[in-house]
Amino acid sequence: MPTRTLLFSLLVWLLLFLAATPRRSLTLAAGRGSWELLQKSIGISAMHMQLLYNDRVVIFDRTDFGKSELALPQGKCRTDPSDTVLTVDCTAHSAEYDVSTNSFRPLMVQTDVWCSSGVVAPDGRLIQTGGFNDGERSVRMFTPCNGCDWEENRSGLLARRWYATNHILPDGRSIVIGGRREFNYEFYPKSPSTNKLFSLPFLWETNDPGIENNLYPFVHLNVDGNLFIFSNNRAILLDYNRNKVVKTFPQIPGGDPRCYPSTGSSVLLPLKHTQRPYIEAEVLVCGGALKGSYAQAKRGNFVKALNTCGRIKITDPKPAWFMETMPLPRVMGDMTILPNGHILIINGAASGTGGWEMGRDPVYSPVLYKPDYPSGSRFEVQNPTKIPRMYHSTAILLRDGRVLVGGNNPHVFYNFTGVLYPTDLSLEAFSPGYLDPGLLNVRPRIIYPLSQVKLKYGQRLRVRISVPGAFDSSRVSITMVAPSFTTHSFSMNQRLLVLDAARVTPVSGPVYDVETLMPKSGLLSPSGYYLLFVVHQEVPSKGIWIQIM
Ligand SMILES: *[C@@H]1O[C@H](CO)[C@@H](O)[C@H](O)[C@H]1NC(C)=O
Ligand SMILES: *[C@@H]1O[C@H](CO)[C@@H](O)[C@H](O)[C@H]1NC(C)=O
């Protein structure tokens, strides 16, 4: 072959190779994220967090912890004869953090909210349930407004709910599942026919005697309206209306426990509009502790945490777990769905288990999981923080795409010295690589609709955006995210939908219209507030609040 022909054919092969290389390799090099300390101390520890539609975050820890570093306003005090530490307490154990001004104010809870659970109702109120001691049957409401505070009903629940998991339902009610020594569920609010406890033997079957491992079960609303419930090392699909288990999933390979105190985490992977819309759903469970780790940790032996994730298509007729290996082992990690559908695995420890003094070797580096990338190239280690985030740490997504991180409070009396991982009252923000200034040219900005728009199921929506730099209309998507109630490494109600964004039309200059269709029913997205993002080449815009009804 003459040299010229050889060179030519080499060039052709090279071009073919480049064309065949998946698109993502052409994505602009994104950094590995950055950290910012927002507040050295908000006075309480961020054990539970929920973002509300006014861009403020309700945060609380527990009331039987002694004095916090945040005073209640105007000399208000809580007198509680049943408090095990302090019966007259003039400090706050809940706070409202305002994202836009980076400021906070104290809130007042009346009973113990320790290890509780919650949802946001369709009208945007936080409905939080249970806790410890005098708070175990409480239902507390928080309405987002200026100066609002908790309202409480101490007899709102039929059973004590400590370490329970809640989920918002398509009809707007919330379901409260399990909790310590409760193998049942109940609804809030109740009708005459649901004014009772519904037994759930699955929670008893997955209850390791003496360890439990069935607490804070991972609950996800499937696209068929049933609830996926993962406890310990296996899962069921529950028709909660008929109190019937409609599917039993195989045990996760290895059989190691993934729920508290062997705290792993779990997300429902992004639900997608495809040609047959939203018929598939996948669940990812990551990290946790090897069987026996809890007993070992009690004896001072901190076993290396699990480094595996299990992924399962829960809508398959014959679902099977697909196992993947994380770059770092992790127990007590949080999993946060980012606006572009990537999963951030953040916080936690590399050995031990969940619980008081039970974790060791903080994992400072978050890891990104990209569900649509080929297996083997889905994980990416991110830049580390300097602050350990062990037991009782949390992470939630904010409207601007940052992730708010706080908590680390393994000590009674808010101990700050003389202990291995002192109580931490700080708040940090992790900015994923998509917020790098180098990507400003790619990042879309939503021109309209304006935030707080009300939308109907099945409604067409035109979203006008501008993109300063080169625009690739084939790489635009619209996503909506339900903000989660996060505690103990699990984000209740967290879900992301990738909407149809088939039609993109140029308007003028850098301005484009993207047409989309809202999900058809509350089975896919229960009525309420969501964050809507436009994503261009994996880089999300700032979100807008939508309320779907
Ligand atoms: C508290 O909740 C219970 C149970 O739902 C209800 O019967 C009762 O009326 C509520 N109390 C108040 C003051 O709203
Ligand atoms: C917390 O600190 C107090 C006083 O400094 C001390 O007496 C107590 O033992 C500490 N508690 C724990 C759990 O470390």
Side-chain angles (χ1 to χ4, degrees):
M1 214 192 283
T3 320
R4 219 187 249 175
T5 320
L6 182 69
L7 277 177
F8 181 74
S9 66
L10 274 176
L11 188 66
V12 168
W13 277 113
L14 182 68
L15 285 174
L16 281 175
F17 173 77
L18 283 178
T21 307
R23 274 211 177 110
R24 70 192 155 72
S25 61
L26 306 176
T27 300
L28 293 147
R32 303 262 161 137
S34 60
W35 288 88
E36 185 193 353
L37 184 66
L38 298 174
Q39 291 287 343
K40 258 197 181 127
S41 169
I42 58 165
I44 64 161
S45 192
M47 191 190 296
H48 314 72
M49 292 209 281
Q50 171 75 58
L51 174 69
L52 298 175
Y53 68 84
N54 56 359
D55 289 319
R56 297 183 196 171
V57 182
V58 173
I59 303 175
F60 51 95
D61 49 25
R62 53 187 286 191
T63 56
D64 58 345
F65 234 20
K67 284 183 192 155
S68 77
E69 299 212 329
L70 181 62
L72 282 169
Q74 305 135 12
K76 269 192 190 173
C77 299
R78 191 175 53 90
T79 306
D80 182 355
S82 68
D83 194 303
T84 50
V85 171
L86 198 63
T87 49
V88 180
D89 188 353
C90 306
T91 67
H93 298 280
S94 177
E96 184 191 57
Y97 174 73
D98 186 334
V99 179
S100 57
T101 57
N102 187 22
S103 61
F104 55 94
R105 68 179 178 101
L107 300 176
M108 189 167 181
V109 278
Q110 296 290 346
T111 57
D112 201 351
V113 280
W114 179 27
C115 298
S116 60
S117 42
V119 303
V120 175
D123 62 7
R125 280 175 312 157
L126 171 57
I127 305 205
Q128 178 269 345
T129 57
F132 179 65
N133 198 4
D134 61 346
E136 63 189 19
R137 282 162 203 259
S138 288
V139 175
R140 306 171 190 85
M141 314 232 178
F142 184 87
T143 308
C145 71
N146 288 326
C148 279
D149 213 329
W150 289 102
E151 293 164 52
E152 187 155 344
N153 180 342
R154 295 186 190 203
S155 49
L157 297 176
L158 293 174
R160 64 199 288 262
R161 299 293 172 187
W162 195 32
Y163 298 83
T165 299
N166 296 16
H167 208 290
I168 187 75
L169 298 174
D171 61 10
R173 288 179 300 167
S174 44
I175 188 168
V176 188
I177 301 173
R180 194 148 247 169
R181 293 186 279 281
E182 294 295 344
F183 313 111
N184 54 55
Y185 60 90
E186 63 184 287
F187 298 95
Y188 188 86
K190 294 169 172 68
S191 68
S193 69
T194 60
N195 194 11
K196 59 179 181 189
L197 293 178
F198 295 84
S199 73
L200 191 55
F202 170 70
L203 291 177
W204 177 78
E205 290 158 16
T206 49
N207 178 39
D208 284 339
I211 304 173
E212 300 177 283
N213 275 323
N214 64 344
L215 301 178
Y216 281 122
F218 307 144
V219 178
H220 304 293
L221 176 64
N222 190 14
V223 291
D224 65 3
N226 293 314
L227 289 174
F228 173 91
I229 306 176
F230 184 102
S231 171
N232 195 337
N233 56 14
R234 61 193 188 88
I236 54 166
L237 203 56
L238 176 74
D239 178 342
Y240 55 84
N241 282 320
R242 293 190 300 145
N243 189 20
K244 205 170 169 224
V245 175
V246 292
K247 197 184 257 187
T248 301
F249 296 92
Q251 194 186 73
I252 194 165
D256 294 306
R258 307 280 180 161
C259 292
Y260 180 89
S262 303
T263 315
S265 190
S266 172
V267 289
L268 179 69
L269 288 177
L271 298 173
K272 286 186 202 131
H273 171 93
T274 53
Q275 289 194 313
R276 296 162 66 208
Y278 307 112
I279 54 159
E280 284 184 351
E282 282 185 282
V283 166
L284 185 70
V285 174
C286 290
L290 258 151
K291 202 172 255 167
S293 295
Y294 185 78
Q296 289 288 332
K298 277 194 152 172
R299 279 183 236 126
N301 181 20
F302 302 95
V303 178
K304 196 174 117 176
L306 294 175
N307 66 351
T308 54
C309 295
R311 179 167 169 170
I312 191 164
K313 198 172 280 178
I314 63 173
T315 44
D316 249 17
K318 280 198 180 139
W321 290 98
F322 174 73
M323 301 305 288
E324 292 174 283
T325 304
M326 297 189 283
L328 305 165
R330 198 180 301 253
V331 62
M332 295 182 282
D334 279 276
M335 290 169 78
T336 308
I337 309 179
L338 301 178
N340 61 2
H342 295 170
I343 314 298
L344 187 70
I345 309 172
I346 189 168
N347 298 342
S351 55
T353 71
W356 308 102
E357 324 296 334
M358 301 281 269
R360 291 292 184 277
D361 309 319
V363 185
Y364 296 103
S365 293
V367 164
L368 217 50
Y369 177 84
K370 304 172 184 180
D372 292 337
Y373 279 42
S375 139
S377 56
R378 289 183 182 149
F379 292 103
E380 189 187 82
V381 179
Q382 305 295 292
N383 287 325
T385 176
K386 293 188 181 74
I387 305 176
R389 298 290 178 187
M390 310 291 277
Y391 189 41
H392 287 163
S393 59
T394 47
I396 57 165
L397 177 69
L398 299 176
R399 187 163 67 91
D400 56 22
R402 290 178 303 163
V403 174
L404 183 66
V405 176
N408 182 40
N409 198 356
H411 303 100
V412 187
F413 309 122
Y414 294 89
N415 271 12
F416 300 104
T417 51
V419 279
L420 197 48
Y421 301 109
T423 302
D424 185 283
L425 310 179
S426 71
L427 284 182
E428 286 175 287
F430 175 71
S431 293
Y434 55 60
L435 290 174
D436 282 1
L439 292 173
L440 267 174
N441 266 349
V442 182
R443 187 173 312 144
R445 184 172 66 83
I446 298 179
I447 298 170
Y448 74 67
L450 298 177
S451 200
Q452 311 290 350
V453 64
K454 292 185 194 318
L455 301 168
K456 293 201 166 61
Y457 287 110
Q459 182 184 332
R460 279 210 170 277
L461 176 71
R462 196 150 46 100
V463 182
R464 180 157 292 182
I465 58 165
S466 75
V467 176
F471 180 64
D472 181 350
S473 64
S474 71
R475 299 196 63 203
V476 177
S477 60
I478 296 188
T479 61
M480 57 186 269
V481 183
S484 60
F485 181 95
T486 300
T487 190
H488 288 76
S489 303
F490 184 61
S491 287
M492 305 173 196
N493 306 296
Q494 185 176 224
R495 66 204 283 112
L496 179 144
L497 275 73
V498 183
L499 305 179
D500 169 26
R503 276 193 46 201
V504 182
T505 37
V507 176
S508 70
V511 179
Y512 305 85
D513 280 347
V514 188
E515 218 175 272
T516 190
L517 202 58
M518 285 295 110
K520 286 242 156 58
S521 86
L523 293 187
L524 297 170
S525 51
S527 176
Y529 285 87
Y530 290 77
L531 285 167
L532 183 131
F533 298 90
V534 175
V535 183
H536 176 226
Q537 298 187 44
E538 299 188 342
V539 178
S541 66
K542 198 181 254 190
I544 57 166
W545 286 105
I546 61 164
Q547 188 188 16
I548 190 162
M549 297 184 280

